[in-house]
Amino acid sequence: MRPLLLDLFCGAGGAAMGYHRAGFDVIGVDINPRRKALAEKFGMTHFVNPKEVGGDLVAHLVELNHSRRFWALVESLMPGHDAHRRALEDWTALLAA
């Protein structure tokens, strides 16, 4: 497994290319969703937009998915998160429909 590097304010992802070539998987963080596609071309492997993440950003950066470990971490960081989780599940169901 490659080490992870957090690229805050990743912008267009220019720095991601160097990090990726140096052997890192790069997690880009930016509030501009248009940056994702361009940064991926330069080697960014994951992208997180803090404005699109409900609740605590830490769980998304640690797990990068919605696995059981993710939800356990969310519960430890944000007890009583159930309403947020239900909203996410409802939104996911709408997108899949």
Side-chain angles (χ1 to χ4, degrees), residues 13-32:
M17 181 186 302
Y19 299 138
H20 188 73
R21 286 183 177 168
F24 291 88
D25 279 342
V26 182
I27 304 169
V29 179
D30 203 297
I31 60 172
N32 185 343

Side-chain angles (χ1 to χ4, degrees), residues 4 6 14 20 30-31 42 53 59 64 80 83 88:
L4 289 174
L6 186 62
H20 188 73
D30 203 297
I31 60 172
F42 288 112
V53 174
L64 297 170
L88 175 65

Side-chain angles (χ1 to χ4, degrees), residues 53-60 62-63 65-82 84-85 88:
V53 174
D56 199 312
L57 183 61
V58 171
H60 288 278
V62 171
E63 290 300 328
N65 58 44
H66 290 133
S67 66
R68 289 181 184 172
R69 287 185 352 186
F70 167 83
W71 288 112
L73 182 56
V74 169
E75 179 62 29
S76 72
L77 295 168
M78 195 172 138
H81 71 282
D82 295 337
H84 298 288
R85 183 174 183 175
L88 175 65

Side-chain angles (χ1 to χ4, degrees), residues 25-57:
D25 279 342
V26 182
I27 304 169
V29 179
D30 203 297
I31 60 172
N32 185 343
R34 294 177 295 171
R35 301 293 189 192
K36 180 181 179 184
L38 185 56
E40 285 175 340
K41 290 180 182 178
F42 288 112
M44 185 181 60
T45 52
H46 301 85
F47 182 83
V48 177
N49 181 340
K51 288 186 172 185
E52 295 176 354
V53 174
D56 199 312
L57 183 61

